[in-house]
Amino acid sequence: MADFAQYQRDLGATLAPDGIALHYGDADREFRFILGSVVMMDRSHEGRIELTGRDRLAIPQRMSTNDVGALKPGEGAATIFTTPNARILDRAVFCNLGERVLALTEPGRGGALIAYLQRNIFFNDDLRLRDLSGETRAFALHGGAADALMDDLSPDISTLPIFGAREFEIDGVQVIAIRMKPLASAAWAIFVPEAAAVDVHRAIYARGKDEHQLRLAGSLAYNMLRIFAGRPGVGRELSGEYIPLEVGLWDEVSFTKGCYTGQEIIARMESRGRLARTMVRVKLDASLNVPADLTVDGKSAGVLTSAVTLPDGLQVGIAVVKIAYVQPGRTLYAGETPVHILNYAGAQPPGLREEEATDG
């Protein structure tokens, strides 16, 4: 079996301690390729879990926010696991592959989600969990040309809905592809056997770099993309500090399914049309370390949770701000540094009452 880490180094990668490429020589250039064409990334620090048994969807259904129990074969959905008071524990994508379910977690959260699910399997439940992280790798494609490249690999796969999945072969190797929620543009995850990771990576790269200007990118470029797009990140916005609705994950919550952990609080927030705070994209006048408290006229207004400098020097970030202060163009302050609200991040909160959008 070829050494994937050495293969990455031979391609010019600088690797993080967890073996994931930080960059391939120029993270800024890699980010530009995401916006202009398509990049391939190794995202194997994202957990991969196989669920089998009669209750492979029923148990996540009763524990998390979205209606994963209704998924048909080939369909998928993102869902949030919360505490009884609706604070975020984990986010995962579940895809129904027929006799098994594949769950994709946030980076570094595979083991934690397996442990949490395992603690909630009771006497009459039929669920078996298998950690696939050691025997598979996860590649990602991001960019405007990602759909065209995927169609070259598997004809018409770009017609899949968000979180739709398909199994097919690349040069004789069975893989699974999932259309992910787009960030700046189309996004895909491809799961391959560890033993064939070098061969499959090389095959995708060879097919994509000439026809679709495919380039390689690392996690530094991904972080730019995540923050630029306003996607909540693990340990930042995806944390026990927040409720899913506060960080723009309205589309990953079902308001019609049955009971789940934390449902009462989330349902009450939705039915009353009231949020105390929400996630926004911001522009900064200078680089800031996060987290950073935000104020208006000396009063607490929220927290800057993520920030990054883009290749053109623009400083952008994500903040969770009190609803009273959320107006595009409004200026908040992190110490003496102005922080300007651009717009909502994630799914915009629907139906907020007018009195919620005033200072006080």
Side-chain angles (χ1 to χ4, degrees):
M1 180 175 68
D3 183 342
F4 190 78
Q6 186 57 51
Y7 165 71
Q8 291 286 279
R9 292 189 190 97
D10 292 344
L11 290 170
T14 295
L15 302 182
D18 62 1
I20 299 301
L22 290 169
H23 60 79
Y24 291 82
D26 189 340
D28 286 354
R29 186 168 180 265
E30 294 162 23
F31 176 72
R32 291 190 183 98
F33 272 111
I34 298 173
L35 302 183
S37 53
V38 57
V39 301
M40 179 163 57
M41 303 176 177
D42 179 20
R43 300 293 296 171
S44 297
H45 54 335
E46 297 175 343
R48 297 168 301 287
I49 306 166
E50 181 185 75
L51 294 81
T52 55
R54 181 192 64 234
D55 299 315
R56 58 191 178 275
L57 287 172
I59 291 177
Q61 171 79 353
R62 77 186 184 208
M63 294 173 62
S64 66
T65 59
N66 216 346
D67 192 8
V68 296
L71 295 174
K72 297 179 176 61
E75 294 181 341
T79 191
I80 316 298
F81 294 85
T82 62
T83 66
N85 64 351
R87 303 290 173 165
I88 295 170
L89 289 173
D90 266 307
R91 174 187 182 271
V93 174
F94 285 79
C95 289
N96 185 352
L97 300 178
E99 294 301 310
R100 59 194 177 119
V101 169
L102 176 65
L104 173 64
T105 80
E106 295 295 314
R109 297 299 300 171
L113 184 57
I114 288 174
Y116 183 62
L117 289 168
Q118 194 71 53
R119 290 196 301 272
N120 286 273
I121 299 173
F122 301 116
F123 178 72
N124 290 320
D125 292 333
D126 179 18
L127 174 63
R128 292 172 294 282
L129 304 169
R130 184 162 144 239
D131 187 351
L132 300 180
S133 300
E135 57 192 82
T136 63
R137 294 202 78 87
F139 302 145
L141 297 176
H142 289 276
D147 281 354
L149 173 54
M150 287 300 301
D151 281 340
D152 283 351
L153 298 171
S154 180
D156 298 321
I157 195 172
S158 66
T159 61
L160 286 178
I162 301 300
F163 301 127
R166 178 186 292 180
E167 298 184 70
F168 62 97
E169 290 187 357
I170 295 178
D171 286 7
V173 178
Q174 191 78 8
V175 305
I176 302 169
I178 301 173
R179 176 186 279 282
M180 303 300 287
K181 186 188 294 186
L183 296 177
S185 50
W188 292 86
I190 304 174
F191 307 98
V192 308
E194 178 68 44
V198 170
D199 291 339
V200 172
H201 189 282
R202 186 180 285 126
I204 296 172
Y205 188 35
R207 294 189 195 189
K209 65 181 181 179
D210 294 328
E211 292 295 323
H212 305 286
Q213 291 75 55
L214 174 68
R215 297 296 183 269
L216 303 178
S219 58
L220 297 182
Y222 179 85
N223 192 51
M224 293 181 201
L225 176 63
R226 178 188 75 79
I227 297 172
F228 174 77
R231 183 202 188 278
V234 66
R236 300 293 185 177
E237 302 78 25
L238 296 176
S239 80
E241 293 292 319
Y242 304 114
I243 291 169
L245 306 186
E246 295 175 331
V247 294
L249 296 175
W250 292 79
D251 57 337
E252 300 182 6
V253 176
S254 170
F255 297 104
T256 59
K257 64 176 279 188
C259 294
Y260 60 87
T261 305
Q263 182 193 33
E264 182 178 349
I265 291 173
I266 292 174
R268 186 163 63 243
M269 293 175 70
E270 188 272 339
S271 65
R272 294 179 179 178
R274 293 176 182 270
L275 283 182
R277 52 193 178 177
T278 193
M279 191 174 69
V280 294
R281 295 175 64 246
V282 296
K283 180 178 69 173
L284 299 78
D285 280 10
S287 177
L288 290 168
N289 293 324
V290 295
D293 292 334
L294 299 174
T295 62
V296 172
D297 298 328
K299 295 185 291 185
S300 175
V303 179
L304 178 70
T305 50
S306 295
V308 72
T309 303
L310 299 181
D312 59 4
L314 184 67
Q315 310 276 346
V316 297
I318 299 172
V320 181
V321 176
K322 293 179 180 179
I323 289 292
Y325 300 108
V326 177
Q327 293 94 33
R330 182 156 198 173
T331 299
L332 315 176
Y333 289 87
E336 300 298 319
T337 301
V339 176
H340 312 283
I341 295 176
L342 297 174
N343 50 32
Y344 285 104
Q348 181 171 334
L352 290 176
R353 297 184 178 181
E354 291 184 4
E355 64 264 26
E356 295 290 326
T358 60
D359 291 355

